[in-house]
């Protein structure tokens, strides 16, 4: 179950982020940015007795955060096909949800 939960929390955000940024490729650094954002959302960071992964009920919000991280990385490394700044990504992602 944990692997399926991890998949459900990371893959939609990776795809949305790449599409949002109109990236030509999904680079290793974009994937790492997405996984780091997912890790930063771990409930265990606030309470070691909590789960390592966010609850599945939070998947839409988690996927949004992962997508934002991926798109920001795409912009930073020049693989994005948009002319936005990193600071614009969150608003663009919310608009496209």
């Amino acid at each position: 179950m944990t692997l399926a939960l991890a998949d459900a929390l990371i893959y939609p955000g990776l795809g949305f982020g790449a599409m949002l940024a109109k990236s030509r490729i999904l680079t290793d650094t974009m994937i790492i940015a997405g996984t780091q954002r997912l890790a930063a959302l771990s409930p265990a960071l606030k309470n070691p007795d909590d789960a390592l992964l966010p609850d599945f009920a939070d998947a839409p919000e988690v996927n949004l955060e992962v997508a934002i991280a991926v798109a920001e990385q795409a912009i930073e490394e020049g693989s994005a096909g948009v002319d936005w700044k990193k600071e614009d990504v969150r608003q663009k992602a919310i608009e496209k949800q």
Side-chain angles (χ1 to χ4, degrees), residues 61-97:
E61 294 85 8
V62 172
N63 293 154
L64 177 65
E65 290 300 321
V66 170
I68 290 167
V70 169
E72 288 173 343
Q73 181 63 34
I75 290 169
E76 185 173 312
E77 65 190 39
S79 63
V82 297
D83 60 354
W84 317 326
K85 296 177 184 162
K86 281 176 54 174
E87 297 79 24
D88 300 329
V89 172
R90 180 170 297 278
Q91 185 59 40
K92 298 290 186 180
I94 291 169
E95 290 171 5
K96 300 273 186 202
Q97 265 187 319

Side-chain angles (χ1 to χ4, degrees), residues 22-94:
K22 297 182 180 178
S23 180
R24 297 176 294 277
I25 57 174
L26 183 61
T27 65
D28 289 346
T29 53
M30 290 164 62
I31 294 169
I32 291 168
T35 57
Q36 286 175 334
R37 185 68 56 92
L38 174 59
L41 298 172
S42 172
L45 292 173
K46 294 179 182 171
N47 180 351
D49 294 329
D50 277 348
L52 184 60
L53 293 171
D55 190 87
F56 185 70
D58 299 325
E61 294 85 8
V62 172
N63 293 154
L64 177 65
E65 290 300 321
V66 170
I68 290 167
V70 169
E72 288 173 343
Q73 181 63 34
I75 290 169
E76 185 173 312
E77 65 190 39
S79 63
V82 297
D83 60 354
W84 317 326
K85 296 177 184 162
K86 281 176 54 174
E87 297 79 24
D88 300 329
V89 172
R90 180 170 297 278
Q91 185 59 40
K92 298 290 186 180
I94 291 169

